[in-house]
């Protein structure tokens, strides 16, 4: 068989790990195909808490390696993607009944010093009688701490990695399902079928299983193999309510079961509250929040906030299933968020690399480690490169988002400030792709509502694999909460006719 017919890597899974590996590998000169059964980031990677964080609570489980790596990645990603990643301050009220103050100070000291900080500030103590958070919290909380992590548009992080991979020569197949995989001595033969029922056979030297919650299903059902590693599926659910306070900081609240709940400013008008940790069985694509989880989140926030929130205030909920690398523990909150890479290979058969576990913050390092594990199979591949390379749209001078936003307003003074800000945050310099020939709002074409214009929709469909209303409103733009049912139907008609 001619070697030109065999690509280097076939990747199953279009979440953050699969897309990150695809981008890293393509940038090293490897021939890559990524296959995703639905839309990019359609499962776990779009249903996170939207945080790039070290994981302060993981210190309690002595996860020092993971926390150190994650802390370092915060500033790497701030520089790589300053449009979709931004610093976020967290307020932690001290509840003396749950944890002594010295323990929190020690944890924050480690958090400040385990990873290098250049942009993010160090933690500090807070007296709530002299801080605006004191007006939000119940008067029983009079002191606490502040520290910094980052917020991220999780689904766009995935799409941008896929874009980068494609720019570097990778093939990205969405809505394409793996039917079977046959292992030969020096390559894999993968049969895939797209949404139109068209089948294709792809041959690859190495197969990478980055299917997230479906990682074991791929191994056992699609490939008919065994694995020494396993995942525990854990559901994390969130609720969204109208914004609870005007300030731009988030809260991290310790619940009575010693889990933490985040309250995060979301899309300007809302507060995002999560998450839960519930052992899950069933189809990860069908995970939904339960009534018990809603009560859990409401009770946790109402224990701290002066103004109570109720079920009736909830405007949206979502649940994602995290594939955590299994350990012998009944406490799902204690299961590591670290990742394990399992290389299945011998001299007689082509390699299979499977990804178990992981978190969105460390996706780039996971990809680097995956390519390191495969280095012996690709001696011609170049070295690691992603640390200092911006993601598409992230090539802002000095990684300075504020300056870029001001420049965008000056360049397009007819853009409403809120719309210009959303374009800058979602697309960075990529927004020039659909703004360059426009001189007023009417040049952007049909308006579907909430600042969503035909030019942006066309860009997403032509360049970012968007095919449905859900792709555009809930993953690419985050405008799902802003459009009325009539406006959604108008958009759907447009997509159908396009």
């Amino acid at each position: 068989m001619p070697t030109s017919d065999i690509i280097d890597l076939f990747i199953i899974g279009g979440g953050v790990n699969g897309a990150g590996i695809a981008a890293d590998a393509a940038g090293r000169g490897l021939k890559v195909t990524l296959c995703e059964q639905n839309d990019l980031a359609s499962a776990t990677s779009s249903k996170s808490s939207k945080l790039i964080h070290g994981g302060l609570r993981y210190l309690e489980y002595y996860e020092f390696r993971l926390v150190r790596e994650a802390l370092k990645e915060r500033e790497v990603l701030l520089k790589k993607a300053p449009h979709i990643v931004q610093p976020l301050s967290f307020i932690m009220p001290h509840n003396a009944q749950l944890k002594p103050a010295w323990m929190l100070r020690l944890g924050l000291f480690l958090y400040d010093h385990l990873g290098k900080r250049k942009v993010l500030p160090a933690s500090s103590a807070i007296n709530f009688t002299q801080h605006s958070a004191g007006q939000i919290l119940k008067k029983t909380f009079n002191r606490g701490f502040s520290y910094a992590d980052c917020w991220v548009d999780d689904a766009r992080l995935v799409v941008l990695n896929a874009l980068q991979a494609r720019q570097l020569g990778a093939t990205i197949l969405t809505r394409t399902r793996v039917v079977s995989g046959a292992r030969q001595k020096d390559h894999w033969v993968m049969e895939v079928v797209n949404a139109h029922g068209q089948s294709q056979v792809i041959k690859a030297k190495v197969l990478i299983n980055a299917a997230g919650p479906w990682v074991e299903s791929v191994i056992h059902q699609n490939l008919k193999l065994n694995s020494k590693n396993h995942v525990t599926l854990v559901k994390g659910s969130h609720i969204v309510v109208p914004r609870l306070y005007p300030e731009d900081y988030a809260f991290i609240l310790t619940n009575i079961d010693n889990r933490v709940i985040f309250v995060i400013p979301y899309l300007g008008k809302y507060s995002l509250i999560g998450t839960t940790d519930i052992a899950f069985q069933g189809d990860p694509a069908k995970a939904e929040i339960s009534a018990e989880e809603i009560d859990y989140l409401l009770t946790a926030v109402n224990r701290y906030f002066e103004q109570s929130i109720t079920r009736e205030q909830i405007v949206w909920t979502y649940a994602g299933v995290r594939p955590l690398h299994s350990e012998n523990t009944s406490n799902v909150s204690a299961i590591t968020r670290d990742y394990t890479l399992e290389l299945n290979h011998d001299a007689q058969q082509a390699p299979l690399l499977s990804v178990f576990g992981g978190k969105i913050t460390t996706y780039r390092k996971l990809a680097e480690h995956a390519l390191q594990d495969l280095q012996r199979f690709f001696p011609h591949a170049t070295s690691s490169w992603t640390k200092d390379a911006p993601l598409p749209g992230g090539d802002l001078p000095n990684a300075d988002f504020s300056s870029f936003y001001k420049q965008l307003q000056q360049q397009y003074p007819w853009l409403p400030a809120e719309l210009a800000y959303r374009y800058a945050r979602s697309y960075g310099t990529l927004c020039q792709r659909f703004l360059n020939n426009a001189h007023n709002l009417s040049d952007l074409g049909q308006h579907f509502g909430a600042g969503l214009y035909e030019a942006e929709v066309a860009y997403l469909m032509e360049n970012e694999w968007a095919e449905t209303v859900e792709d555009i409103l809930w993953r690419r733009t985050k405008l799902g909460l802003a459009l009325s049912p009539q406006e959604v139907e108008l958009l759907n008609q447009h997509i159908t006719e396009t």
Side-chain angles (χ1 to χ4, degrees):
M1 178 182 301
T3 56
S4 59
D5 294 340
I6 305 176
I7 64 170
D8 293 314
L9 296 182
F10 184 92
I11 302 169
I12 301 174
V16 71
N17 290 332
I21 293 170
D24 192 325
R28 297 178 192 238
L30 301 182
K31 294 180 180 179
V32 178
T33 292
L34 180 145
C35 181
E36 163 55 44
Q37 64 180 345
N38 295 306
D39 181 32
L40 295 170
S42 57
T44 307
S45 292
S46 63
K47 295 169 181 173
S48 73
S49 297
K50 326 296 181 192
L51 297 179
I52 298 292
H53 64 135
L56 182 61
R57 72 183 182 89
Y58 305 150
L59 291 173
E60 294 183 34
Y61 302 109
Y62 309 107
E63 295 266 14
F64 298 118
R65 192 213 69 79
L66 172 64
V67 174
R68 181 183 293 109
E69 182 172 274
L71 288 171
K72 290 180 179 178
E73 283 300 288
R74 296 178 309 175
E75 301 215 359
V76 171
L77 295 176
L78 271 172
K79 186 178 178 182
K80 276 180 67 69
H83 49 329
I84 62 165
V85 179
Q86 55 185 304
L88 181 61
S89 294
F90 287 79
I91 304 297
M92 179 193 298
H94 174 230
N95 188 334
Q97 295 177 322
L98 298 178
K99 282 188 176 73
W102 68 262
M103 184 181 292
L104 296 179
R105 288 195 193 95
L106 175 60
L108 289 169
F109 177 84
L110 291 172
Y111 210 67
D112 286 340
H113 293 90
L114 276 174
K116 294 179 180 178
R117 286 181 300 102
K118 292 183 180 179
V119 177
L120 298 174
S123 61
S124 61
I126 297 176
N127 181 343
F128 289 138
T129 64
Q130 301 171 2
H131 192 280
S132 60
Q135 303 301 312
I136 303 166
L137 297 164
K138 290 182 176 179
K139 302 311 176 191
T140 50
F141 301 102
N142 50 38
R143 63 172 177 164
F145 302 89
S146 174
Y147 71 95
D149 269 321
C150 299
W151 185 90
V152 65
D153 187 331
D154 51 5
R156 289 210 59 75
L157 180 65
V158 178
V159 170
L160 295 182
N161 273 276
L163 271 176
Q164 188 167 63
R166 187 175 65 187
Q167 289 171 0
L168 294 166
T171 299
I172 308 296
L173 303 175
T174 61
R175 292 178 165 85
T176 302
R177 185 170 50 89
V178 172
V179 176
S180 65
R183 198 178 203 174
Q184 309 296 326
K185 181 176 180 180
D186 61 350
H187 68 276
W188 286 87
V189 179
M190 307 300 299
E191 183 184 0
V192 302
V193 175
N194 66 18
H196 305 290
Q198 299 165 323
S199 63
Q200 182 182 0
V201 172
I202 302 170
K203 298 163 186 172
K205 296 176 185 175
V206 173
L207 176 61
I208 295 183
N209 176 10
W214 293 272
V215 61
E216 286 195 78
S217 174
V218 167
I219 293 172
H220 301 147
Q221 296 177 26
N222 295 86
L223 306 179
K224 311 299 183 187
L225 297 173
N226 295 315
S227 172
K228 64 181 181 181
N229 288 287
H230 303 281
V231 291
T232 295
L233 300 183
V234 177
K235 182 175 63 166
S237 298
H238 298 76
I239 60 176
V240 175
V241 298
R243 189 147 181 172
L244 298 175
Y245 53 88
E247 286 79 10
D248 289 332
Y249 46 70
F251 283 90
I252 177 171
L253 311 174
T254 303
N255 206 358
I256 56 174
D257 58 1
N258 270 324
R259 290 201 66 258
V260 298
I261 303 297
F262 294 110
V263 182
I264 304 166
Y266 188 59
L267 304 179
K269 301 176 182 178
Y270 306 98
S271 292
L272 173 64
I273 301 169
T275 179
T276 57
D277 269 334
I278 306 292
F280 180 81
Q281 293 181 335
D283 183 356
K286 297 179 180 178
E288 294 180 346
I289 194 169
S290 67
E292 292 77 15
E293 287 175 288
I294 290 174
D295 289 340
Y296 176 88
L297 294 174
L298 292 176
T299 301
V301 175
N302 289 339
R303 189 173 284 113
Y304 282 87
F305 280 20
E306 185 69 37
Q307 182 177 347
S308 294
I309 55 174
T310 65
R311 254 173 203 276
E312 290 68 36
Q313 290 173 265
I314 298 172
V315 297
W316 183 43
T317 68
Y318 66 89
V321 176
R322 300 185 290 270
L324 304 182
H325 186 226
S326 286
E327 296 176 343
N328 293 322
T329 176
S330 58
N331 180 6
V332 293
S333 296
I335 299 176
T336 182
R337 268 56 176 173
D338 210 344
Y339 54 85
T340 293
L341 304 175
E342 179 182 289
L343 183 60
N344 183 313
H345 167 69
D346 60 44
Q348 303 302 315
Q349 294 181 310
L352 164 66
L353 184 73
S354 295
V355 178
F356 294 84
K359 59 199 295 278
I360 198 165
T361 304
T362 53
Y363 88 91
R364 191 196 68 84
K365 288 299 293 183
L366 183 152
E368 270 193 353
H369 290 150
L371 271 296
Q372 288 172 10
D373 286 355
L374 298 175
Q375 193 169 17
R376 57 181 145 146
F377 306 111
F378 304 110
H380 62 286
T382 55
S383 58
S384 59
W385 62 279
T386 58
K387 182 178 180 181
D388 298 315
L391 286 170
D395 51 338
L396 313 185
N398 301 314
D400 186 341
F401 175 81
S402 296
S403 295
F404 171 73
Y405 172 51
K406 290 176 184 176
Q407 178 216 327
L408 193 69
Q409 287 183 297
Q410 293 168 1
Q411 189 174 356
Y412 303 100
W414 47 269
L415 272 179
E418 184 178 353
L419 184 57
Y421 184 82
R422 183 173 72 79
Y423 285 166
R425 269 287 170 221
S426 296
Y427 301 100
T429 58
L430 289 176
C431 68
Q432 305 282 0
R433 299 278 295 273
F434 55 85
L435 286 177
N436 260 350
N437 297 320
H439 304 284
N440 51 58
L441 281 175
S442 62
D443 286 342
L444 297 179
Q446 184 176 1
H447 183 221
F448 301 103
L452 181 65
Y453 288 86
E454 185 178 350
E456 182 181 4
V457 171
Y459 163 79
L460 292 172
M461 295 181 70
E462 293 167 9
N463 298 279
E464 294 197 3
W465 301 278
E467 296 185 23
T468 70
V469 165
E470 186 177 350
D471 298 348
I472 291 170
L473 295 183
W474 295 102
R475 287 183 284 275
R476 304 304 188 281
T477 69
K478 298 291 194 291
L479 290 176
L481 291 171
L483 269 69
S484 69
Q486 294 78 14
E487 290 168 333
V488 172
E489 180 55 33
L490 187 67
L491 175 61
N492 189 51
Q493 289 177 4
H494 173 80
I495 292 172
T496 303
E497 295 167 1
T498 298

